[in-house]
Amino acid sequence: MKPEVWTIIVAAGSGERFGGLKQFSQLGGTRVLDHSLRTARAVSSGVVVVVPVEFATRDEGNAVDTSEPDRVVVTVAGGTTRSASVRAGLAAVPPAAEVILVHDAARPLASEALFTRVVAAVSAGADAVTPVLPLTDTIRRVGDGVIDRTALLAVQTPQGFRAPALREAHRPGAEATDDVSLVEADGGTVKTVTGERSNIKITDRADLMMAEAWLSAL
Ligand code: CTP
Ligand code: MG
């Protein structure tokens, strides 16, 4: 039996390092946010898009085409931190959801296959699942020389959760840069799946150029 899957896309950041709202920047003829919205809709019963509060009541935030009315898309206002934004999204996910995915709008190129892989790993028996990739750069710890790169993994989204595990970990005030670490700190079981090289996070302008390059190569 397929679980009921809902996806929260967090798009409520201010894009300080980018110098603007990167989630609404143009990428391949549409907005950055629209790429992951399309992918999330394909694999989810419903999607909650978390946008900056000033966009929550405007068309920009609600940029959803209504051609697939069976797929619910809800727009809610985010918080001052990423974790607060996830919680705002979580409040709009219905109790029927069994698997909840949390995805950064800043990662527009995550594939449908990756979303599916994360859901499958949760269904196979984990509280939390994250895509990871090995690092390729040699890494130095400040003041402490080169560290063993084979012990390190770069974490991506979408991350997937058994719904109760995510809801429990997200008690008010809980803060982390990702959600798997919150569930892990709560004693939850974590599994990893292989991420994607093309699933880059847009942090600054150079990343947007990289994403354009990936798009024309994919
Ligand atoms: N995010 C969010 N709410 C926040 C902060 C971040 O929904 N209060 C979202 C961003 O929109 C992004 C994802 O979390 O999709 C990852 O955050 P990041 O890449 O850090 O984006 P920003 O916080 O917008 O960028 P910066 O840190 O440079 O300001
Ligand atoms: Mg940020």
Side-chain angles (χ1 to χ4, degrees), residues 8-210:
I8 299 167
I9 300 179
V10 282
S14 54
E16 230 163 89
R17 290 166 289 180
F18 186 83
L21 297 176
K22 58 193 180 185
Q23 60 273 48
F24 303 134
S25 290
Q26 287 291 309
L27 170 64
T30 181
R31 304 171 322 162
V32 166
L33 166 63
D34 297 325
H35 290 268
S36 43
L37 183 52
R38 188 185 324 118
T39 310
R41 287 180 92 195
V43 301
S44 315
S45 308
V47 180
V48 178
V49 183
V50 187
V51 297
V53 62
E54 64 272 26
F55 287 86
T57 54
R58 284 167 49 176
D59 286 350
E60 289 94 324
N62 219 336
V64 173
D65 84 83
T66 49
S67 57
E68 290 176 275
D70 54 321
R71 307 257 180 199
V72 182
V73 178
V74 183
T75 303
V76 301
T80 52
T81 64
R82 184 184 180 282
S83 294
S85 292
V86 173
R87 275 192 289 284
L90 208 42
V93 174
E98 295 165 293
V99 173
I100 302 175
L101 304 181
V102 181
H103 183 60
D104 289 341
R107 292 189 187 270
L109 302 183
S111 73
E112 198 176 313
L114 179 59
F115 275 72
T116 304
R117 198 146 73 234
V118 170
V119 172
V122 175
S123 300
D127 292 318
V129 173
T130 185
V132 294
L133 278 184
L135 301 182
T136 52
D137 290 326
T138 296
I139 306 287
R140 285 179 68 87
R141 191 191 299 279
V142 177
D144 201 21
V146 170
I147 59 176
D148 181 12
R149 163 175 86 202
T150 59
L152 300 173
L153 294 168
V155 167
Q156 301 184 340
T157 71
Q159 296 186 329
F161 305 89
R162 258 194 341 103
L166 184 64
R167 291 191 195 276
E168 270 169 47
H170 262 289
R171 59 187 67 91
E175 277 301 324
T177 52
D178 79 335
D179 302 286
V180 162
S181 53
L182 285 181
V183 172
E184 193 166 36
D186 233 22
T189 56
V190 176
K191 282 189 183 161
T192 60
V193 298
T194 304
E196 295 173 328
R197 288 292 298 274
S198 50
N199 184 19
I200 60 169
K201 184 165 83 82
I202 296 175
T203 301
D204 60 23
R205 300 272 166 184
D207 297 318
L208 191 59
M209 289 169 56
M210 295 276 276

